[in-house]
Amino acid sequence: MSRFALRNGELFAEDVPLSRIAAEVGTPVYVYSRRQLEDNADALRYGLGILPRVHLAYAIKANPNLAVVNVLAKCGYGADIVSGGEMARALAAGMAPDDIVFSGVGKTVAELDAALAARVGQFNIEIEEEGAILGDLAVARGTRAQAVLRVNPDVDAGTHAKISTGKAENKFGVAISDAPAIYARLAALPGLAMRGVAAHIGSQIADLAPLETTYRRIGALVAELRAAGHDVTHVDLGGGFGVAYRPGEVYPTPREIGAMVARATAGWDVTLMFEPGRVIAGDAGLLLTQVIWVKPGTGHPWVIVDAAMNDLARPALYDAHHEFGAVRPSGTRMTANLAGPVCESGDTFAKAREIDAVVRGDLAVLYTAGAYGATMASTYNSRALVPEVLVDGDRYAIVADRIGADTIMAAERVPEWLTA
Ligand code: LLP
């Protein structure tokens, strides 16, 4: 059940009418549902409950808003981080350092050292050299870093090329065939406590088969590492579980995911770690917008809304589909192109799509925008950085301000020698 639903002809987020948020906060604005975040977090935990030992690390990149991360910390999730900034957010939201996993293909020496200082629970090593540097830093601090080796299993996740990470040609992890030798060298370093392996093959994965293939390859690697005398206590299976963006799309349920993982990992005797992002935050947010005009077009009219590619980049970047709906649907439909005000044709959310009929001034939403939405926003065209609201029952709070050009300009300087 979605926490965004029509009541008496008007769209609500939980018990708050979206028209109220639009009137009080303005548009465009992201609106998140606390209950939906909790429902998603609980459903995944329940689905994976069939497994003996599980650690859930929410992928902060999907939606790093402090209030959102706080909700997930309260649901008992740790964090998957890929930068010092994400570490700061996880810690600020109250996540225990030990529950934080540091992923990322380009961690800097400063970031590695800061994470050691913060006692982050696990480092996912992407390159042998990174492991060596981490080991040295740990020795210098008189500690040992808990680490796993990220392998590239060479599996096609069947997702968009820009968010596929597990094929041999992608930049992530070490080739699975090189993993035993690299693992052995890293395990011999005094500063590293190597405890297992990790893989993540991509995002918005629709089909469990490539994940199962990956897990089976990892299982063979675990057996090989153990045969070579290594302790393997943790396997990080990454994230990537997809969500429905179009009505009627069917994605694997948490229960189906759990059943597949149980089958593929039977007998491993490890703590299984997951890094879910989209499946937690995706349908827990929408982008609320207002129709600026409906402009005649050659084929179909253009519905120009006040949200744009700088607020929600996914359609421009990945041709992603976000369902559009009126906040007060009249019951009639129209076929239209849907676009924002930014000065490029890429700023188009939909072409020739059948949508709720709208006119100038109407409020509308782009659905399933809770993951990889606000976090990928920019101020292109000197538009404001889009604000965020979290709804909880019949109350809501602004959890990120609208940051306008004045604030952005205040951080810019015109050098004296230019004004002289
Ligand atoms: N773990 C690692 C190592 C990752 O690289 C990612 C996502 C995740 C976990 C979380 O994946 P999820 O469960 O959310 O699929 N901006 C793109 C998605 C990029 C995903 C990057 N890595 C989009 O809007 O579709």
Side-chain angles (χ1 to χ4, degrees), residues 151-370:
V151 301
N152 183 323
D154 194 17
V155 173
D156 185 349
T159 186
H160 191 284
K162 287 186 187 168
I163 54 173
S164 169
T165 55
K167 287 197 276 182
E169 74 246 33
N170 297 136
K171 67 182 172 183
F172 300 96
V174 304
I176 195 161
S177 51
D178 296 339
I182 294 174
Y183 196 95
R185 290 194 291 270
L186 292 176
L189 298 178
L192 294 186
M194 292 301 295
R195 64 181 196 179
V197 291
H200 170 82
I201 61 168
S203 196
Q204 184 53 10
I205 299 172
D207 178 7
L208 292 180
L211 287 168
E212 185 159 359
T213 304
T214 301
Y215 300 169
R216 292 196 185 277
R217 288 189 188 169
I218 296 290
L221 175 62
V222 169
E224 189 177 343
L225 292 173
R226 283 184 171 151
H230 300 293
D231 268 352
V232 177
T233 56
H234 290 73
V235 176
D236 185 338
L237 297 175
F241 308 121
V243 301
Y245 282 93
R246 298 167 198 261
E249 269 178 354
V250 179
Y251 273 76
T253 62
R255 186 190 291 266
E256 288 163 351
I257 294 170
M260 179 278 283
V261 179
R263 192 165 66 229
T265 66
W268 285 15
D269 190 23
V270 295
T271 297
L272 289 173
M273 308 174 74
F274 296 89
E275 303 168 353
R278 190 187 316 262
V279 77
I280 303 294
D283 69 356
L286 48 71
L287 178 56
L288 177 58
T289 185
Q290 187 170 27
V291 177
I292 302 182
W293 344 91
V294 180
K295 181 177 188 276
T298 49
H300 303 286
W302 287 93
V303 172
I304 310 286
V305 294
D306 67 0
M309 65 187 288
N310 71 296
D311 306 306
L312 178 63
R314 303 192 67 258
L317 272 179
Y318 321 114
D319 294 319
H321 179 105
H322 286 267
E323 198 60 19
F324 178 83
V327 166
R328 290 194 188 96
S330 65
T332 51
R333 306 277 286 171
M334 69 194 282
T335 302
N337 304 317
L338 183 65
V342 161
C343 299
E344 41 183 296
S345 295
D347 184 24
T348 300
F349 293 120
K351 283 277 189 64
R353 193 190 292 175
E354 197 198 302
I355 57 172
D356 287 337
V358 285
V359 297
R360 172 180 155 81
D362 280 355
L363 293 173
V365 298
L366 287 153
Y367 283 100
T368 328

